[in-house]
Amino acid sequence: MMRCMTSAIAGLRAHQLAMDVIGNNISNVDTPSFKSGSTAFRDTMYQEVTAGSGGTASGAGMNPSEIGYGAAATGVVLNTTKGGENATGINSDVYIDGEGYLIIGNSARDTSGTYLKDSFTNYKYTRIGALSFDSKGYLTDGTGNYVCGQQNTVAGQATVTLSPSAATNGTYNAPDGSTVPPPVAIHYDPSLGSLSNTSIASDGTITATQAGKTITIGKIGLASFTNASGLQQMGNGFYAAPASGNTGTTQYSVPSPTGAGKLITGALEASNVDLASEFSNMIMYERGYQANTKIISVSDEMYQTLVNMK
């Protein structure tokens, strides 16, 4: 087979994958906190026709002659820049003004099937801050998952004693997770009365009025990563940071302007898809795909000419 046809087939595959990424980006242009992807292209293997050689006393040097075998889409790069701020007017919605992620507990169960809300086996992460309390008093993400952070240790009282305890820099879990307990589910005791005037401060502190007095329920936690682009996308706005992955160190902290970011209430994060860029890339990828199909057509004509030589 002609090398040009092999290269064109490789180019078709690469541009098809790039168009798949574009399609996913445009499909999620209105998805809250969606992070767009971009396709990384690389050239592939080469066949050496003539080896290079250095100059000698009897002759000049010669550069190598090599013929390539097309392009490949070697990866999809996640664009982790934050999206715009979409005001909702709902005081339980939070926008993360920074690079942090909300910590969502993937809860374990004990032998009786009861959730272990203070002993999560692992976490997943999201930037969709549509929060609410369920009927049991637990802060959730609206899809049946627990939102984690620091919990008030004295339920129903106007106290700021929180567990895990916060260090002076706002960090409450060391990078290796060994020095203090990990983030826990945030909740209040609904048996003491319903909540009113619930508010979330920029540092994640949740306060409300219950039974006529102001209580501090807890603090929402945030997670930040050495390499956020290494997060594994799970769908539904969730990300995972597997131990064998490339996210690097995971740092849990309370929201802070100098840390993972502060919280802005009454808003959600918009998708960071740039439609102008997506459409211009779509045109380039479509033309690239078209050009590769032309190479295949020309190669076929050359084969036909060769067959008709007899």
Side-chain angles (χ1 to χ4, degrees):
M1 182 181 289
M2 294 182 182
R3 296 187 188 92
C4 59
M5 183 173 285
T6 302
S7 297
I9 293 172
L12 288 178
R13 294 195 188 102
H15 284 82
Q16 177 61 63
L17 189 146
M19 287 295 290
D20 292 340
V21 174
I22 291 287
N24 184 56
N25 289 344
I26 294 177
S27 177
N28 286 282
V29 68
D30 292 318
T31 302
S33 81
F34 176 78
K35 304 301 179 187
S36 61
S38 59
T39 307
F41 288 89
R42 296 287 187 275
D43 51 351
T44 58
M45 61 178 293
Y46 286 83
Q47 179 182 3
E48 187 176 72
V49 178
T50 305
S53 60
T56 65
S58 59
M62 184 174 61
N63 296 326
S65 295
E66 299 170 304
I67 299 177
Y69 279 82
T74 57
V76 179
V77 181
L78 184 66
N79 177 9
T80 60
T81 57
K82 65 181 180 180
E85 181 181 336
N86 276 348
T88 64
I90 302 173
N91 62 2
S92 60
D93 288 347
V94 294
Y95 170 82
I96 304 172
D97 188 14
E99 302 303 320
Y101 293 76
L102 294 170
I103 307 164
I104 306 298
N106 284 340
S107 188
R109 293 175 183 262
D110 61 17
T111 55
S112 66
T114 303
Y115 276 114
L116 305 175
K117 303 178 185 66
D118 294 334
S119 181
F120 293 106
T121 54
N122 55 74
Y123 300 100
K124 54 187 177 182
Y125 309 95
T126 186
R127 286 181 62 89
I128 302 177
L131 310 181
S132 61
F133 285 100
D134 67 8
S135 60
K136 299 297 184 182
Y138 282 87
L139 185 64
T140 73
D141 66 348
T143 61
N145 298 290
Y146 300 110
V147 179
C148 298
Q150 295 174 294
Q151 172 61 38
N152 193 335
T153 58
V154 185
Q157 296 188 19
T159 175
V160 292
T161 303
L162 300 170
S163 177
S165 59
T168 55
N169 63 358
T171 298
Y172 60 87
N173 193 15
D176 61 2
S178 62
T179 59
V180 295
V184 297
I186 302 170
H187 66 281
Y188 72 96
D189 187 353
S191 67
L192 300 177
S194 59
L195 298 183
S196 62
N197 302 320
T198 305
S199 66
I200 302 173
S202 61
D203 66 350
T205 301
I206 306 173
T207 58
T209 300
Q210 186 182 39
K213 61 183 178 181
T214 301
I215 63 170
T216 298
I217 300 171
K219 274 190 176 183
I220 296 172
L222 294 181
S224 55
F225 306 92
T226 305
N227 174 33
S229 295
L231 288 168
Q232 177 184 344
Q233 295 171 284
M234 302 174 64
N236 293 319
F238 295 119
Y239 301 87
S244 59
N246 193 37
T247 56
T249 301
T250 302
Q251 188 77 28
Y252 301 123
S253 65
V254 294
S256 169
T258 59
K262 65 178 182 179
L263 300 184
I264 297 175
T265 57
L268 293 175
E269 182 181 5
S271 169
N272 70 353
V273 173
D274 182 350
L275 275 179
S277 297
E278 299 300 328
F279 283 137
S280 61
N281 287 336
M282 181 170 60
I283 292 172
M284 290 191 298
Y285 296 153
E286 193 277 333
R287 291 304 183 191
Y289 191 92
Q290 184 181 41
N292 279 282
T293 59
K294 186 64 175 177
I295 290 292
I296 293 176
S297 298
V298 171
S299 299
D300 177 61
E301 292 174 4
M302 293 172 68
Y303 274 123
Q304 187 64 40
T305 301
L306 182 63
V307 170
N308 291 338
M309 283 180 62
K310 180 176 179 181

